[in-house]
Amino acid sequence: MSEVHPVDLANRPFDPRVICALDVPTTDEARALVERIGDAVGFYKVGLQLFASDGMGLARELKAAGHQVFLDWKLHDIGATVEKATAVLANAGCDLLTVHARPQVMAAAARGAAGSDLKILGVTVLTSLTEEDLKADDHSLSAADLVELRVRQALEADVHGVVSSPHEAGRVREIALAAGRDDFLIVTPGVRPTGAALDDQARAATPASALQAGASHLVVGRPITASADPRGAAQAISREIALV
């Protein structure tokens, strides 16, 4: 089995706003990707696919090697369960954790993370969803209005930020600043470098435009991980946003 090798983050040529999504079936494949990407990324997302394949073990390895780790597990359960699960994850030393942006869920996660460095993000509306999808799910609000509602609820729950599409990032930033939260994190999936395929993202944007709109972090998966040269692809994204 391969392992994640320690790195010197202080001297790495990466942009800390770029989070690479390790959306692969096994932890060995994830480790191999991290090895190939090398010094071009310092922040990794471990999602549900890896959760089923010792994702927590991988997360600990990445942290031990000096990387930042985003656990994109979208917790959603009764408050007591979310609070206890979050407390366990906080002890692992990871950096970001997603929960569904429901008031009780976010408040419970905030309690579970209290006193740790783990930051809680509420997932507003998945970037793969269209307006038609929301209507089919019996939502009367548009994607933009639903995101706005959930951002206000996230601020009320006192979590650290939200996950939203780049299309809503500007409005999210306005709401957060109006609430006095200039530290509010806006993590945007659905980021595709100029000329890249959209894949299954319905509400996507380029890295530079997402940051200009108000995003604090960009989650990038296939444009890096499916590239023949993942290190080069990550470096190209860092160059694309260097002046933003």
Side-chain angles (χ1 to χ4, degrees):
M1 184 193 303
S2 59
E3 60 182 36
V4 178
H5 298 295
V7 292
D8 178 7
L9 289 184
N11 297 306
R12 293 186 64 186
F14 65 87
D15 192 305
R17 298 171 293 179
V18 176
I19 302 174
C20 178
L22 295 173
D23 293 332
V24 292
T26 70
T27 52
D28 277 347
E29 288 174 78
R31 291 184 187 98
L33 264 174
V34 171
E35 186 71 18
R36 291 181 67 197
I37 292 167
D39 61 0
V41 167
F43 211 145
Y44 285 99
K45 187 196 89 166
V46 178
L48 282 178
Q49 189 174 17
L50 283 172
F51 171 75
S53 178
D54 192 25
M56 201 61 235
L58 175 66
R60 288 191 176 95
E61 285 181 39
L62 289 166
K63 284 301 298 179
H67 298 283
Q68 289 184 283
V69 175
F70 171 23
L71 299 177
D72 187 19
W73 291 353
K74 301 180 181 69
L75 302 186
H76 189 187
D77 210 314
I78 63 171
T81 299
V82 170
E83 182 177 349
K84 290 172 184 175
T86 302
V88 171
L89 296 173
N91 288 332
C94 293
D95 301 276
L96 301 176
L97 170 70
T98 51
V99 302
H100 276 271
R102 303 294 193 275
Q104 282 190 340
V105 173
M106 291 187 289
R111 291 193 299 271
S116 76
D117 292 329
L118 179 66
K119 292 181 169 56
I120 304 300
L121 304 175
V123 178
T124 56
V125 177
L126 297 177
T127 52
S128 61
L129 297 180
T130 63
E131 300 291 346
E132 290 72 28
D133 294 325
L134 291 175
K135 287 176 185 174
D137 199 26
D138 204 27
H139 283 289
S140 59
L141 297 177
S142 67
D145 288 342
L146 187 55
V147 168
E148 183 166 334
L149 171 64
R150 289 177 174 170
V151 169
R152 295 186 187 281
Q153 291 171 333
L155 288 162
E156 232 175 276
D158 201 27
V159 295
H160 303 87
V162 295
V163 176
S164 76
S165 92
H167 292 203
E168 291 92 40
R171 182 59 181 145
V172 175
R173 182 60 65 200
E174 286 177 7
I175 295 169
L177 289 175
R181 288 289 304 276
D182 58 356
D183 61 340
F184 199 66
L185 300 177
I186 303 173
V187 177
T188 56
V191 174
R192 292 292 182 269
T194 304
L198 292 180
D199 298 308
D200 58 358
Q201 299 294 341
R203 301 186 337 275
T206 64
S209 64
L211 291 171
Q212 288 164 344
S216 60
H217 293 80
L218 313 173
V219 179
V220 187
R222 280 164 286 194
I224 294 176
T225 60
S227 170
D229 177 13
R231 182 173 183 273
Q235 289 174 323
I237 292 170
S238 290
R239 287 195 298 271
E240 188 173 333
I241 63 175
L243 300 179
V244 180

